[in-house]
Amino acid sequence: MSKQLLAHLALIAANILYAGNYTIAKWIMPNYILPFGFIFIRVLGALCFFWALHFVVKKERIAKEDWLRLFFCGMFGVAINQLMFFKGLDITTPVNASLMMGITPILVITIAILAKIDKFSWAKVLGISLGALGALVIMIGKNFNFNSSTVLGDFFVFINATSYGIYLTIVKPLMKKYKPLTIIKWVFTFGFIPVFFVGWNEFNRIDWASFEPHTWGSLVYVVLGVTCFAYLFNIFALSKVNPSVVGIYIYLQPFLAALIAIYYQVDKFDGAKLIAAVFIFTGVYLVSFYKPAPLKEV
């Protein structure tokens, strides 16, 4: 199996995990855990996981000039990203949040091109547009509404999307020098510093005795699945493909969430979802695989 194929399978797996996160995390907050307390648990759990995992692999020495980049990766990829998403999700709706995340691929490709990490092409522009259209088709008919009661939460999710777009772009150059596990370990190490100070009070207020079995199951899903494995899958994929490819897969999340709902018989497959699937997968193909033939000289 080629490394490119493995990268795309990793991206699909990561976005399957993310697809369930909107509803599961929203259900836990604020019934059992407040947003910043949730992030405290999530980042601390992932930090312990990555450090423990890193003990069994060969250690790498970080060059002095890369420490500052790793620090900013921790700020944008973990601290700002996760704090803003969970705080926003607590105020807005899961559907609104997933719709706002649709801006991420556009931001990723824009930042990557400006930073000269990725190359501009009309195929990528068309692919991003088709992916956005497919995600929007999934949302049509759903209960989403940008109004005064959700606008602050929607804004926080927008900040989250922007932060994640910056992270995917600035972490890419490190992929050429270090292993994915080395990078993600230090990203979470630096990211936990502000999370500790912001989330400690809400973490201390958690009533652990009120947790039921399904609460623990949901918490494990978010910490181990959405944080540990999804971040590993994404960072591995980013070592093999450009940031724009990682970004375009975000458009799969509404479609995958719909498939999960169909599986549990709370939704049904229809023509709109088929059209959305065609748009999304065509967009993924154009961004990931399509390479226009060179112009022939006359």
Side-chain angles (χ1 to χ4, degrees):
M1 187 178 293
S2 70
K3 292 181 178 179
Q4 289 283 319
L5 179 57
L6 279 174
H8 288 280
L9 291 176
L11 288 171
I12 292 172
N15 283 282
I16 289 173
L17 291 167
Y18 285 135
N21 186 46
Y22 296 98
T23 301
I24 292 175
K26 178 68 176 180
W27 175 78
I28 297 178
M29 298 181 303
N31 298 320
Y32 296 93
I33 308 174
L34 294 173
F36 292 161
F38 204 160
I39 294 301
F40 186 98
I41 298 171
R42 185 180 177 184
V43 177
L44 178 60
L47 180 61
C48 294
F49 175 83
F50 290 132
W51 271 90
L53 196 59
H54 201 245
F55 273 117
V56 301
V57 301
K58 185 179 179 181
K59 308 299 184 294
E60 294 180 291
R61 184 183 295 274
I62 305 295
K64 290 182 179 179
E65 64 269 19
D66 292 326
W67 283 113
L68 185 61
R69 182 178 289 269
L70 279 170
F71 171 80
F72 282 114
C73 286
M75 295 303 104
F76 288 110
V78 174
I80 299 173
N81 171 31
Q82 294 197 25
L83 289 169
M84 289 296 96
F85 177 75
F86 270 57
K87 187 63 176 180
L89 187 60
D90 185 45
I91 300 172
T92 189
T93 66
V95 176
N96 274 29
S98 60
L99 186 62
M100 289 298 296
M101 282 300 294
I103 199 172
T104 303
I106 300 170
L107 292 169
V108 169
I109 194 169
T110 302
I111 296 169
I113 290 171
L114 290 175
K116 297 182 179 180
I117 292 173
D118 211 338
K119 293 181 179 180
F120 173 85
S121 75
W122 287 109
K124 289 178 181 176
V125 173
L126 180 58
I128 292 288
S129 302
L130 286 174
L133 184 59
L136 187 59
V137 168
I138 292 289
M139 294 299 172
I140 292 175
K142 299 292 184 181
N143 184 26
F144 73 92
N145 182 28
F146 295 110
N147 55 47
S148 59
S149 65
T150 66
V151 66
L152 184 59
D154 297 330
F155 175 71
F156 285 153
V157 177
F158 171 78
I159 297 298
N160 151 254
T162 305
S163 175
Y164 191 66
I166 295 171
Y167 161 71
L168 288 180
T169 304
I170 65 176
V171 78
K172 177 63 178 178
L174 297 173
M175 300 290 99
K176 299 176 182 178
K177 301 177 68 173
Y178 308 107
K179 294 176 182 177
L181 184 57
T182 300
I183 296 170
I184 204 67
K185 180 192 78 170
W186 287 111
V187 167
F188 269 82
T189 299
F190 286 120
F192 182 66
I193 297 171
V195 167
F196 175 85
F197 291 104
V198 175
W200 176 253
N201 286 337
E202 290 190 2
F203 173 76
N204 264 343
R205 293 164 59 184
I206 297 173
D207 180 13
W208 298 100
S210 68
F211 279 33
E212 300 175 23
H214 58 273
T215 314
W216 287 107
S218 299
L219 186 60
V220 169
Y221 174 85
V222 173
V223 174
L224 193 60
V226 179
T227 313
C228 298
F229 290 135
Y231 266 81
L232 267 181
F233 292 154
N234 271 337
I235 202 74
F236 167 77
L238 195 58
S239 69
K240 312 300 178 187
V241 298
N242 287 328
S244 58
V245 178
V246 179
I248 187 67
Y249 269 92
I250 291 173
Y251 286 135
L252 275 179
Q253 291 179 24
F255 178 70
L256 292 170
L259 289 184
I260 293 170
I262 291 168
Y263 177 80
Y264 285 104
Q265 298 182 344
V266 295
D267 201 350
K268 61 181 181 179
F269 193 82
D270 53 29
K273 293 182 180 64
L274 177 61
I275 293 171
V278 171
F279 283 156
I280 291 170
F281 284 105
T282 302
V284 169
Y285 168 76
L286 289 172
V287 172
S288 306
F289 303 107
Y290 179 76
K291 291 180 175 58
L295 294 175
K296 295 182 179 179
E297 295 183 3
V298 180

